[in-house]
Amino acid sequence: MTTVEVPHGSRSVVLRVAAVINETPDTCSLVFDVPEEAREKFDYRPGQFLTLRVPSDLTGSVARCYSLASSPYTDDKPKVTVKRTEGGYGSNWLCDNVRAGDQLEVLPPSGVFTPKNLDEDLLLFGAGSGITPVMSILKSALARGNGRIVLVYANRDPHSVIFADELRELSDKHPQRLTVIHWLEHLQGLPSVEGLATLVRPFTAYEAFMCGPKPFMDRVHDALAQLAVPRNRTHAEVFNSLAGDPFADQTPVAVSDEEAAEAATVEVELDGEVHKLAWPRKQTLVDIMLAKGLDVPYSCQEGECGSCACTVLEGKVEMENSEILDPEDIENGYILGCQARPVTDHLKIQF
């Protein structure tokens, strides 16, 4: 039995595992009970993820991000889906050890891989466990939207298809709105740029969302570019293992008088409210917002999860690690708040 006495930081919550569902031989879903006092904190948007604190004898714990496969509109409880990865400590520990009734420490939902409008026609791509956030979007759009949805789902073979029964039931229930296209490697080989482009050519006006291994997403990107789908109509979800401890409360960084005197100024729009802040050159945007007690979205603070993605409207920043962002994202003004430091004296940024 896994029990957690108290959270390790003020942002995290200890959740009870209500159920463990074996989805495929190497994949399980964890369904969580959310206590009444944390319900508002755990409201989530389709396609977001949870960060779980996984116990470790070597380091005390590791932090891992797992997408919510549930929909806030059709499921009573949040559910994340975990697929074993070869040599992956977190996924194997969770699949081997967690049982219903256990407790896990969890950070609130985060992430920007979510449609702004569920009424849009959606072109969804998933490969392997990349189906998880895509499934959340798909179910939500069917429940609350009125657009058409096309899902291209790549797997090794039929036994690897996560949510196979659920996808079949949804297709039967919404035959006019949902089209599910399975790409099975043992029959068709690995997805190719040309094959994907041919497959989705009729749907180039749809808003595209993709999640899966990097080679798969690279091919999807290339196929959509070949079809001249605008870059701002394509969205990708990328996860990397986190090295730090996002569960620990952050200590405000000390600022010298000299640094304060040379600070930039920034107007940050967060949840529709604008905050004017001094921004010392050596601090990140997340640092200064946390120091002011603002509820800035963040998870890893390593530039690896995308939780703190925001847009520069005026001014310029530099970033230490921005690999999770595509060059087109950066050209369009997207930055990572946990990596951004000011270059210009005045900036405007929007979350």
Side-chain angles (χ1 to χ4, degrees):
M1 176 71 71
T2 303
T3 59
V4 183
E5 297 298 329
V6 293
H8 288 76
S10 60
R11 297 170 62 236
S12 56
V13 176
V14 175
L15 299 183
R16 177 184 172 274
V17 177
V20 178
I21 304 167
N22 292 318
E23 306 284 2
T24 70
D26 61 358
T27 306
C28 72
S29 290
L30 309 179
V31 182
F32 292 106
D33 282 325
V34 178
E36 192 62 41
E37 63 272 16
R39 284 196 180 277
E40 187 174 343
K41 201 173 185 178
F42 274 80
D43 282 344
Y44 64 96
R45 300 192 303 276
Q48 290 194 300
F49 64 85
L50 299 180
T51 305
L52 276 54
R53 189 175 189 272
V54 181
S56 166
D57 292 335
L58 294 176
T59 60
S61 70
V62 296
R64 293 292 183 266
C65 302
Y66 295 103
S67 291
L68 286 148
S70 52
S71 163
Y73 310 118
T74 63
D75 297 286
D76 293 334
K77 299 176 181 181
K79 175 181 77 174
V80 299
T81 301
V82 182
K83 183 176 182 178
R84 294 180 187 271
T85 56
E86 189 175 346
Y89 175 79
S91 62
N92 283 287
W93 190 94
L94 291 168
C95 289
D96 287 339
N97 293 283
V98 177
R99 302 290 181 267
D102 287 353
Q103 294 177 321
L104 290 171
E105 189 174 349
V106 183
L107 288 174
S110 195
V112 295
F113 184 71
T114 183
K116 289 184 171 63
N117 181 3
L118 289 174
D119 289 327
E120 285 268 12
D121 292 331
L122 300 176
L123 175 57
L124 309 177
F125 296 88
S129 59
I131 190 64
T132 7
V134 168
M135 191 68 173
S136 178
I137 292 170
L138 183 154
K139 292 196 293 184
S140 299
L142 287 174
R144 289 297 176 93
N146 53 35
R148 288 175 166 272
I149 303 160
V150 174
L151 168 65
V152 178
Y153 187 18
N155 282 285
R156 290 190 308 271
D157 53 52
H159 304 294
S160 307
V161 179
I162 306 170
F163 310 130
D165 291 341
E166 193 173 3
L167 285 169
R168 196 176 302 112
E169 289 168 10
L170 289 169
S171 297
D172 291 342
K173 187 176 179 181
H174 304 277
Q176 303 304 315
R177 292 186 58 206
L178 175 61
T179 301
V180 178
I181 303 169
H182 289 284
W183 186 302
L184 299 178
E185 184 184 334
H186 84 301
L187 293 176
Q188 298 154 275
L190 289 170
S192 65
V193 173
E194 293 73 18
L196 289 167
T198 301
L199 203 56
V200 303
R201 192 178 301 277
F203 315 111
T204 54
Y206 290 22
E207 185 112 7
F209 290 81
M210 68 188 79
C211 186
K214 188 177 185 303
F216 171 77
M217 292 209 290
D218 286 345
R219 292 181 193 119
V220 173
H221 269 304
D222 290 345
L224 295 178
Q226 190 178 106
L227 296 171
V229 176
R231 181 62 189 82
N232 63 3
R233 298 273 293 171
T234 65
H235 313 273
E237 180 68 304
V238 181
F239 287 119
N240 294 304
S241 294
L242 307 182
D245 183 7
F247 291 87
D249 287 333
Q250 303 299 312
T251 304
V253 180
V255 180
S256 68
D257 292 341
E258 183 181 352
E259 288 173 328
E262 295 177 354
T265 58
V266 60
E267 292 180 27
V268 182
E269 183 180 336
L270 178 66
D271 297 328
E273 190 174 344
V274 177
H275 308 269
K276 190 168 183 177
L277 307 172
W279 190 353
R281 309 281 173 168
K282 293 182 179 179
Q283 292 198 25
T284 69
L285 182 59
V286 167
D287 286 339
I288 66 164
M289 293 179 72
L290 288 176
K292 291 296 182 181
L294 298 177
D295 191 19
V296 54
Y298 78 96
S299 184
C300 72
Q301 288 201 288
E302 299 170 20
E304 299 290 1
C305 73
S307 300
C308 59
C310 49
T311 307
V312 176
L313 303 178
E314 288 182 21
K316 186 178 179 182
V317 304
E318 59 184 6
M319 290 184 286
E320 190 171 326
N321 176 18
S322 60
E323 290 183 10
I324 197 171
L325 297 176
D326 290 335
E328 294 92 342
D329 291 330
I330 296 172
E331 283 178 25
N332 290 328
Y334 287 103
I335 64 167
L336 300 174
C338 74
Q339 298 295 302
R341 293 176 172 84
V343 172
T344 52
D345 291 336
H346 304 285
L347 303 98
K348 286 188 179 180
I349 291 174
Q350 183 181 56
F351 278 86

